[in-house]
Amino acid sequence: MSERSAAAGHDLSTEAAQVVSILTEVGLRTPDTVGERLDSMELARLVYEVEHRLALRLDLTDEQLAQMSTVSGAAEVIRLARAEAGLDQAGTGGDGKEAAAR
């Protein structure tokens, strides 16, 4: 699968779709131009947006940060961080309350 088709909506996990959505919402890219690779500015903005939107502190190791240089890698790091924080894919705990309200 090409980089562009991987990020353009083919078999994306919820987290990968969220990564693409964040990049397009903040105006860094249009949906059709989001490839698999993320540059350093996109990565910095993505980390900020995930922390802000999910009230989820990403205390990333060097390995995790390197993994987040791709959409699929970022999605996996976000998925694991959510699981560790006890958040579901909507960014809420098992009680349905927003993470920021916790």
Side-chain angles (χ1 to χ4, degrees):
M1 186 178 311
S2 74
E3 287 183 6
R4 181 168 283 165
S5 65
H10 297 68
D11 300 322
L12 288 180
S13 69
T14 299
E15 288 82 7
Q18 185 176 34
V19 168
V20 172
S21 176
I22 288 171
L23 293 174
T24 59
E25 286 175 25
V26 299
L28 295 174
R29 300 218 200 163
T30 59
D32 61 325
T33 64
V34 176
E36 178 64 7
R37 289 238 158 272
L38 302 177
D39 68 29
S40 60
M41 293 302 293
E42 290 170 326
L43 179 54
R45 184 62 187 257
L46 177 63
V47 169
Y48 167 80
E49 290 294 331
V50 168
E51 288 186 337
H52 179 72
R53 293 176 186 207
L54 300 179
L56 177 65
R57 176 129 168 85
L58 296 176
D59 189 16
L60 302 170
T61 64
D62 289 343
E63 292 80 22
Q64 289 170 315
L65 192 57
Q67 183 179 355
M68 289 185 74
S69 65
T70 64
V71 170
S72 57
E76 179 65 9
V77 170
I78 292 167
R79 185 188 68 74
L80 292 173
R82 279 182 167 159
E84 287 178 14
L87 300 175
D88 63 19
Q89 291 185 355
T92 62
D95 58 7
K97 293 182 181 172
E98 289 294 323
R102 296 179 157 262

